[in-house]
Amino acid sequence: MQRRKTKLFNAPVANALSLDTTDKATRRVIAPYVKVIRRSGKETHLEKEQEYQKFNFYVQNKPSVLIQDLSSFLLDNVDLISLLHETGDVLKCTTKAHGVTIYMVDSASEEIYQSQKNFQTERHKVNWKIQKSSTVAAYVALKKEYVMVDDILGDERFPAGLGYQEEMVKSVLCVPVMTPDGECYAVLELYRTVTQPPFSKEDLRISIVVTGWMGAAIHQNRLRLTLQKQQELNDYLLELTKCYFAETVAIDKMITEIVKFAKTTLAAERGCFFIIDEESEDLVAEVFDEGLDDEETTLYKKNVKVRLSKDRTIAGLVARTGVTVNIRDAYNDQRFCMKVDEHTGFITRSILCMPIVSVDNILGVVQVVNKTNGVCFTPADENLFKTFSVYCALALHYTRLHNKMNKTDKVNECSLRLLRLQLKPCVHDMEYFIQKPETAVPYNFTEFRWYVSPEEYQDMPQLVFHMITEVIGLKDIDQHKMMEFILTAKKCYRNNPYHNFEHAFNVAHCMFNILWRNMDKFSEIETKSLLLAALCHDLDHGGFTNNFLQLTNDTLAELYDESPLEHHHYRVTMTILNNCPVFIDITPETYKQISQEIREAILATDLASYFKVRIKLEQLKNTNSLNWSNERHRMFCKAIMMTSCDLSGSCKPFQVAKNICDNVLKEFYNQGDLEKQMGLAPLSLMDREKSQMVPEDQVQFLSVVVLPCVELLKSILPNTQELHQEAVLLRATWQEIIKLKGQKSWRQDDSIVDNFDYT
């Protein structure tokens, strides 16, 4: 089998500079830092079989039946991307494929891009040109015909294969989604691994039929949307829409406009509106009814709430059933309760009452009474009322969201006020720091190999202050605020085995040494930003990887599409910096630049970003085109500096590096244990049952991640070569341990001093 170099993150880069991940050991050590997809083992074979049988029921029906079902579904749901992904998942299950990928076709740029389930923003698009001699999907988009290949690695038509790393893939079934007018809208790519048999003709038939139905339904949906756009709203609806979507919407005014429009359009005598309380499970509604004065157009909110679940009125009936009620003669209709008229003295002749329905529930009920220019409300009135109710639902839904946002903003404001109070450092620590701002600086502090000892832990804030004094100076610094900032940052690091303030201090020390040696290379803004970013780059780190956050649908993973941890570290950094302004007489423009520099520096510590930056910087170095005056090139260099500092624990003497390694593995094993409890298979590096592989993993991690990084740093800043030298020595020590493993078995808890003899 021909060995191929695969590309991380589907990045289209030159083969010569791609990171070779075909080696199993390489994949093992970089797996925690790149995006991986793992599936729970809890899904039973019976569940898969039931889903397969359920879909086969539809496959055996006539195509026209399923087209009708799809079309009716699309009338209510125009999110075609989600529908494509749902269809792809079903086809994957039906054909027993290992995986499925959805590609959208961009005819304007003649490209296809991989569609993600959770986001479709431009910055997440991974593109391929629609052409021959590329990927399978690009070929299918070009030819507009299916491709079924038994062995993708052996097919010369597709040198790029699937376009991303999947070395176990063998059989591929790729089908275009074609509309009746001959347009290729999307491409569905199903694949199986080497352990599975190739796709069959039955799999192909099912895929072609389903994608054909999809194409027809998409075409019909497009026609429907075109006609809908051509429809013009009358002046009342336009005025109503302006009222609904104003920046601030008063609920009373909105409801008044709704009922006013309904009365005018339908020629009704009176109208009322019921807003159902979304937090109530018993259909409790607030009632808005007209005043007693016939000339008054404002609706008044009644002081009492109505329980529509038990109310005998027409509004209660509509709220419970969700069905429109059109009564021609109220007093001769058994559904009408005459006690209401007896109580109010009003005479009801005809009623048209309709629910205001959102996607999943009833928001309210609107009711008009007594047709003024006829005996009763006609079917035409009812149809117009249906169109109108859609806008009512949008308006009501928007108003609720607007009110929720306002409430959430107020809650966040209160929480932030409390957070600012809690972020203050301990009074005693602050007093001690003010009394003793300086400490004895170790003689070898300016060496990269120096590492803080347990006896010096209490002096770390003073040493950070010393680093800031040396490379930033104090002319623009509020010393009291800077001390408060350092102690607050220390407080915001959790008590993790590895991602703690000790690690942050080490990273800041490494950055200090780089800046101290290269003061002429960087501006004052860059110097301030890089040192503060190094100190704060892991603030409030929970001890878990980005992959784990995404796997568990953590709030941070839902808040940020990529690098959730790093985005959170930056946000906490700016919260502290805003609460504790350390710079004196700084302009808003300069502060904005510092904030942006800190953001780019902290985001660069995501190793998933590092692999991309490394390739780009290597390209610039290999072509002698690196230019420090170019802002983009400069950004790459600063990113490599941040990564080198973050990895500098692997550039220390062996005993220090081993202690750091032990702490990293404690966090990894803790995450691996949790994943096992969730029914998942943890990555090999995070499985404590495979701890015998630690020396080999460290050699591989140093070779694949650390050494290329510090070597690249050395090439752009030669006076940082000590980092590279120490990393080389450390790798040699781990290699020596591997050689001695045959003489005495390795245990992670063992010390090199206790268990290995070099004489």
Side-chain angles (χ1 to χ4, degrees), residues 451 498 649-666 694-695 698 702 730 733-734 737 746-756 758:
Y451 194 81
Y498 174 69
S650 296
C651 304
K652 304 292 181 183
F654 175 79
Q655 194 57 52
V656 173
K658 181 184 179 297
N659 290 336
I660 294 174
C661 171
D662 291 344
N663 291 333
V664 172
L665 290 175
K666 286 178 183 178
V694 168
Q698 287 304 300
L702 285 160
L730 181 62
T733 304
W734 282 113
I737 290 173
W746 162 268
R747 294 199 313 271
Q748 185 184 328
D749 296 334
D750 290 343
S751 166
I752 181 71
V753 178
D754 297 334
N755 291 287
F756 298 100
Y758 288 99

Side-chain angles (χ1 to χ4, degrees), residues 420-432:
R420 291 193 185 103
L421 181 65
Q422 297 300 320
L423 280 179
K424 296 289 183 181
C426 173
V427 175
H428 302 92
D429 290 343
M430 191 65 193
E431 289 177 353
Y432 177 78

Side-chain angles (χ1 to χ4, degrees), residues 496-736:
N496 297 318
Y498 174 69
H499 289 101
N500 49 37
F501 186 68
E502 180 186 334
H503 166 66
F505 175 82
N506 178 53
V507 174
H509 173 258
C510 185
M511 180 59 72
F512 158 75
N513 273 288
I514 295 175
L515 295 173
W516 185 72
R517 287 166 169 76
N518 300 278
M519 294 291 289
D520 57 330
K521 284 277 188 182
F522 303 98
S523 67
E524 290 186 5
I525 290 178
E526 289 175 322
T527 302
K528 294 172 181 175
S529 305
L530 286 169
L531 193 55
L532 292 184
L535 180 67
C536 301
H537 79 285
D538 273 335
L539 282 173
D540 195 39
H541 197 297
F544 301 103
T545 64
N546 279 327
N547 275 328
F548 185 80
L549 299 186
Q550 292 161 352
L551 188 69
T552 56
N553 294 322
D554 186 86
T555 304
L556 289 179
E558 294 181 353
L559 189 59
Y560 304 106
D561 293 334
E562 59 180 12
S563 305
L565 278 173
E566 289 70 27
H567 276 95
H568 178 62
H569 303 327
Y570 166 71
R571 186 175 182 180
V572 177
T573 300
M574 295 313 299
T575 299
I576 299 174
L577 197 57
N578 292 335
N579 192 39
C580 187
V582 299
F583 302 114
I584 301 174
D585 299 329
I586 190 172
T587 65
E589 293 75 15
T590 302
Y591 186 73
K592 184 177 180 181
Q593 292 177 13
I594 291 176
S595 301
Q596 184 62 27
E597 288 279 346
I598 292 175
R599 180 181 185 276
E600 291 177 356
I602 292 179
L603 293 184
T605 58
D606 183 357
L607 282 186
S609 300
Y610 153 68
F611 291 120
K612 302 175 186 177
V613 171
R614 189 177 101 187
I615 290 173
K616 293 174 183 176
L617 197 53
E618 283 175 347
Q619 287 177 326
L620 295 174
K621 288 295 297 180
N622 292 344
T623 56
N624 294 320
S625 55
L626 178 62
N627 181 6
W628 279 89
S629 300
N630 185 303
E631 286 300 321
R632 186 166 177 268
H633 296 184
R634 199 175 186 86
M635 181 183 69
F636 292 154
C637 294
K638 288 183 287 188
I640 287 297
M641 289 167 57
M642 285 296 298
T643 305
S644 299
C645 293
D646 202 13
L647 298 173
S648 61
S650 296
C651 304
K652 304 292 181 183
F654 175 79
Q655 194 57 52
V656 173
K658 181 184 179 297
N659 290 336
I660 294 174
C661 171
D662 291 344
N663 291 333
V664 172
L665 290 175
K666 286 178 183 178
E667 287 189 16
F668 276 2
Y669 292 159
N670 178 50
Q671 178 174 319
D673 293 343
L674 290 177
E675 290 181 1
K676 287 180 181 179
Q677 294 175 16
M678 295 164 58
L680 299 168
L683 295 172
S684 180
L685 201 63
M686 297 183 173
D687 192 343
R688 66 174 68 250
E689 296 177 5
K690 300 178 182 179
S691 60
Q692 72 277 3
M693 293 295 296
V694 168
E696 288 82 356
D697 288 341
Q698 287 304 300
V699 169
Q700 200 66 18
F701 183 72
L702 285 160
S703 301
V704 175
V705 179
V706 180
L707 279 170
C709 181
V710 293
E711 188 172 6
L712 193 54
L713 178 68
K714 181 183 72 172
S715 69
I716 60 176
L717 297 173
N719 51 22
T720 63
Q721 62 180 350
E722 183 185 340
L723 286 170
H724 183 263
Q725 293 170 354
E726 291 292 338
V728 171
L729 288 174
L730 181 62
R731 182 175 65 174
T733 304
W734 282 113
Q735 288 172 333
E736 184 67 20

Side-chain angles (χ1 to χ4, degrees), residues 139-163:
Y139 180 90
V140 169
L142 175 67
K143 292 293 187 178
K144 299 181 180 179
E145 58 187 27
Y146 74 86
V147 166
M148 187 166 68
V149 182
D150 290 347
D151 186 359
I152 186 63
L153 297 179
D155 198 317
E156 297 179 354
R157 293 176 297 172
F158 316 114
L162 300 188

Side-chain angles (χ1 to χ4, degrees), residues 12-210:
V13 295
N15 284 338
L17 295 175
S18 298
L19 182 60
D20 187 353
T21 57
T22 56
D23 177 58
K24 184 176 180 180
T26 300
R27 293 197 305 274
R28 173 181 164 89
V29 297
I30 68 171
Y33 309 105
V34 297
K35 291 184 178 180
V36 294
I37 299 175
R38 285 170 285 165
R39 295 172 173 81
S40 172
K42 294 183 178 180
E43 185 179 8
T44 64
H45 174 74
L46 178 61
E47 291 172 338
K48 292 182 178 180
E49 190 64 25
Q50 288 175 343
E51 187 174 354
Y52 172 80
Q53 293 175 358
K54 181 179 179 181
F55 185 72
N56 263 356
F57 168 80
Y58 288 99
V59 172
Q60 301 305 324
N61 281 282
K62 294 180 180 179
S64 59
V65 175
L66 193 50
I67 289 176
Q68 184 178 357
D69 291 342
L70 285 173
S71 300
S72 62
F73 172 75
L74 286 174
L75 289 175
D76 297 323
N77 184 357
V78 294
D79 187 0
L80 300 179
I81 305 299
S82 297
L83 183 60
L84 278 171
H85 279 284
E86 292 172 6
T87 304
D89 290 340
V90 174
L91 275 178
K92 171 191 168 186
C93 181
T94 305
T95 61
K96 294 181 170 44
H98 177 73
V100 60
T101 307
I102 308 294
Y103 299 91
M104 305 305 298
V105 177
D106 188 347
S107 56
S109 62
E110 295 184 346
E111 293 178 338
I112 60 172
Y113 61 91
Q114 186 176 346
S115 173
Q116 303 291 340
K117 271 188 178 182
N118 298 326
F119 45 80
Q120 290 90 35
T121 54
E122 287 289 334
R123 60 179 175 162
H124 291 293
K125 287 185 178 179
V126 182
N127 299 6
W128 288 272
K129 273 290 183 183
I130 298 176
Q131 60 185 4
K132 293 182 180 179
S133 302
S134 179
T135 65
V136 181
Y139 180 90
V140 169
L142 175 67
K143 292 293 187 178
K144 299 181 180 179
E145 58 187 27
Y146 74 86
V147 166
M148 187 166 68
V149 182
D150 290 347
D151 186 359
I152 186 63
L153 297 179
D155 198 317
E156 297 179 354
R157 293 176 297 172
F158 316 114
L162 300 188
Y164 57 92
Q165 178 181 351
E166 191 63 63
E167 65 177 17
M168 298 298 291
V169 169
K170 185 173 183 181
S171 178
V172 177
L173 173 57
C174 197
V175 186
V177 178
M178 301 292 297
T179 60
D181 54 0
E183 178 188 357
C184 182
Y185 180 81
V187 176
L188 269 71
E189 185 180 74
L190 300 159
Y191 54 89
R192 290 180 176 174
T193 63
V194 293
T195 62
Q196 297 174 286
F199 289 101
S200 65
K201 290 183 179 180
E202 179 63 17
D203 297 328
L204 175 62
R205 184 184 74 83
I206 292 174
S207 301
I208 290 177
V209 170
V210 172

